Amino acid sequence: MASNSICSRCLRQALHSTNRSLHLSHRAFASSAAKQQPPSQDRKIHQATRQRAPAVEAAAQQQSTPAGGPPYPDKRGRQADKQHAQEKERRILLQPNNLFHSFTRSPAPEIRKRAQFMRKNAYCPHPDHQPTRAPASPDDLEARKTGSLPPAHVQHECPDCGVPVSCSADHFADDYASHLEICDLLRQINEDDHDLHSGRFFPEFEYPPPQIDEAQVNLTNWDTLLYSREFNAVNEERSMRQVTRLLTYPITVGSILHELSPYGLNDRLLPEGLRSLSALRYTMHPPRTGAGIDIKGLRPNPPPVRLFILGARAESSLPREVWIQLSHLFPRASFHLIFIGPESMSNRDDEFPLPERTPQNPFGAIVEDRLGGQMKISTYVDYFHTLHDAQHFAPYDPYFDCFVLFHPGLGHPASSHEWVETLPQLLSTKVPVICTGYTDFDMERDIAWVKEHSRGEADLLMRPGENRFRSLRWDMNDLDPGDVSCGNFGVWAFRGKRYEADEYRGKKEEEGPGSGGWDR
């Protein structure tokens, strides 16, 4: 039958819409329907929709679209496609070759808001202005201010980097030589920030799953790590900067604690540091015990390794997939990450209000369990010395515990008072403390502060130096556009001094130097 070329729904609608008599032959109806419907689009109207199908004549009229346009069944379909195209244009703000924009006139509202904050809080670094604060380092531009002009907020943007850096065009031109030292970095920061708000898909943020035990990881540098861990190929420098900005936190810790660590006795690690790290590596790289899923394969599992991250800020709000990469470096060990600090819930507004303090949870900890099967995360919005006085984490074990301080500012004038009570408690645990810093001056200032306040009760485990897994992306301080830094630039470590008991064999004539390592 010729009527088989039309679906039953359309045939029913056609029969109801016509007033022809029932004795009309099926062949005549099929020929009339074929004249109304274009031969090239004979099946376009037969689409599954929630509404009733229109008549054959109306559908044939709605199929007449401009040349090259998609054949829509009704006007609502064209409007939906137009809205989808507009949403796609709004979502994709910038293209890879169009990432440089002025902060004030940026297409991203978040960056425009950031520029407004800088104009209200950042001050012009020109030497003719009066100082607004004490210099933080010898390279701080605030140390140059010896003039009599009152402080003024930044209003003029550099045309080369697009960042507000001066109060006026005259001061910008007068101090242009000093700005040239960081202009290229500020432009790179500008483009990286716009790249994050461009709406593009970020394949570099897709992290690999665990590997087989036979595949060894290479911790020489970022390139060898990403290759040996089978990350997606990162072929652009900007994508490399974006991915290392997040991974620098777990990989910095893992690169020091791993048995294949690039840091050894020939590279900044001291004998006391090797002793402390060997204890942790013994736990994090356990021997195979022949465990299985049956009764005969039952084996006792060691407790998880506790990493106390004190003064936690941005690292506590990282995506959990980032921290799980730490457990992938140690497939036969489990971890318990403990974020402690009054700012440990920053950028985590979705989890507020905090849990109530109950006898079962006296400090209102936020617990995230079974992350990847090998990791647990707890967050305490409190100071460590408060938890330590309550013996909340006691006892401490050098085989299972380690402290991590990301940019703690131990010697910074604005934050050193917060660590005065915490430092003696850290030294009393005899557990290694890994610290990072923004610059060499920042680390040297922290080491001098620890050496002064420890009064000889601390051992240096690792000499300060550049971190192999520092963030390759540079960040700008919104309160001072001339202050640029990168996350975890340098790393060093210390621990409370340990006294070894030995048999007394008489007084020695000459006492040898200790192994503290501060003067090495």
Side-chain angles (χ1 to χ4, degrees), residues 205-246:
F205 291 154
E206 294 184 354
Y207 304 115
Q211 289 180 301
I212 59 176
D213 293 343
E214 289 74 11
Q216 293 291 342
V217 65
N218 192 326
L219 294 170
T220 304
N221 50 47
W222 277 117
D223 293 330
T224 59
L225 171 70
L226 299 181
Y227 178 79
S228 59
R229 278 286 293 123
E230 297 182 357
F231 275 76
N232 293 332
V234 182
N235 300 321
E236 297 181 0
E237 294 184 0
R238 180 170 292 109
S239 298
M240 193 70 172
R241 293 195 294 267
Q242 303 290 15
V243 68
T244 58
R245 181 65 180 88
L246 302 182

Side-chain angles (χ1 to χ4, degrees), residues 82-96:
K82 185 177 180 180
Q83 294 177 358
H84 176 72
Q86 293 177 353
E87 293 178 357
K88 187 176 180 181
E89 292 179 359
R90 288 195 297 266
R91 185 170 64 252
I92 301 179
L93 298 175
L94 304 171
Q95 298 298 326

Side-chain angles (χ1 to χ4, degrees), residues 45-267:
I45 63 174
H46 307 304
Q47 300 179 0
T49 60
R50 296 183 179 179
Q51 300 179 355
R52 299 180 61 186
V56 177
E57 293 83 3
Q61 293 177 2
Q62 291 179 1
Q63 283 182 352
S64 58
T65 57
Y72 296 104
D74 53 9
K75 191 177 296 183
R76 186 175 300 174
R78 288 194 293 270
Q79 293 177 355
D81 185 78
K82 185 177 180 180
Q83 294 177 358
H84 176 72
Q86 293 177 353
E87 293 178 357
K88 187 176 180 181
E89 292 179 359
R90 288 195 297 266
R91 185 170 64 252
I92 301 179
L93 298 175
L94 304 171
Q95 298 298 326
N97 58 351
N98 186 28
L99 293 178
F100 175 72
H101 293 272
S102 167
F103 265 39
T104 305
R105 295 177 294 275
S106 171
E110 295 84 359
I111 297 182
R112 294 198 301 268
K113 184 178 180 180
R114 185 179 178 185
Q116 185 179 6
F117 176 84
M118 296 171 62
R119 289 174 176 269
K120 292 182 178 179
N121 297 276
Y123 290 96
C124 177
H126 196 274
D128 291 345
H129 290 286
Q130 298 175 356
T132 57
R133 54 177 174 82
S137 67
D139 299 330
D140 193 349
L141 297 180
E142 199 71 15
R144 307 181 310 158
K145 294 183 178 180
T146 57
S148 58
L149 294 179
H153 294 290
V154 294
Q155 299 294 332
H156 180 75
E157 286 186 343
C158 172
D160 296 328
C161 62
V163 178
V165 292
S166 296
C167 62
S168 62
D170 295 339
H171 276 191
F172 173 75
D174 190 23
D175 200 29
Y176 184 67
S178 176
H179 175 69
L180 279 180
E181 298 177 0
I182 59 171
C183 186
D184 292 339
L185 284 180
L186 292 179
R187 183 184 179 94
Q188 185 183 106
I189 295 172
N190 186 329
E191 295 178 355
D192 290 346
D193 288 341
H194 281 93
D195 179 54
L196 289 179
H197 296 87
S198 64
R200 71 174 179 92
F201 177 69
F202 292 88
E204 59 267 28
F205 291 154
E206 294 184 354
Y207 304 115
Q211 289 180 301
I212 59 176
D213 293 343
E214 289 74 11
Q216 293 291 342
V217 65
N218 192 326
L219 294 170
T220 304
N221 50 47
W222 277 117
D223 293 330
T224 59
L225 171 70
L226 299 181
Y227 178 79
S228 59
R229 278 286 293 123
E230 297 182 357
F231 275 76
N232 293 332
V234 182
N235 300 321
E236 297 181 0
E237 294 184 0
R238 180 170 292 109
S239 298
M240 193 70 172
R241 293 195 294 267
Q242 303 290 15
V243 68
T244 58
R245 181 65 180 88
L246 302 182
L247 288 176
T248 180
Y249 291 97
I251 302 303
T252 295
V253 179
S255 64
I256 298 175
L257 302 180
H258 203 276
E259 63 180 357
L260 301 179
S261 172
Y263 306 107
L265 294 177
N266 296 329
D267 188 4

Side-chain angles (χ1 to χ4, degrees), residues 296-341:
K296 296 181 179 179
L298 293 179
R299 299 291 186 274
N301 293 326
V305 176
R306 298 189 301 180
L307 297 179
F308 298 92
I309 303 175
L310 307 186
R313 296 185 296 272
E315 56 270 18
S316 64
S317 62
L318 289 178
R320 296 318 180 214
E321 293 80 4
V322 177
W323 282 111
I324 290 177
Q325 293 300 310
L326 177 62
S327 64
H328 292 343
L329 296 178
F330 308 91
R332 296 197 299 273
S334 56
F335 290 90
H336 184 192
L337 304 184
I338 304 174
F339 296 107
I340 303 175

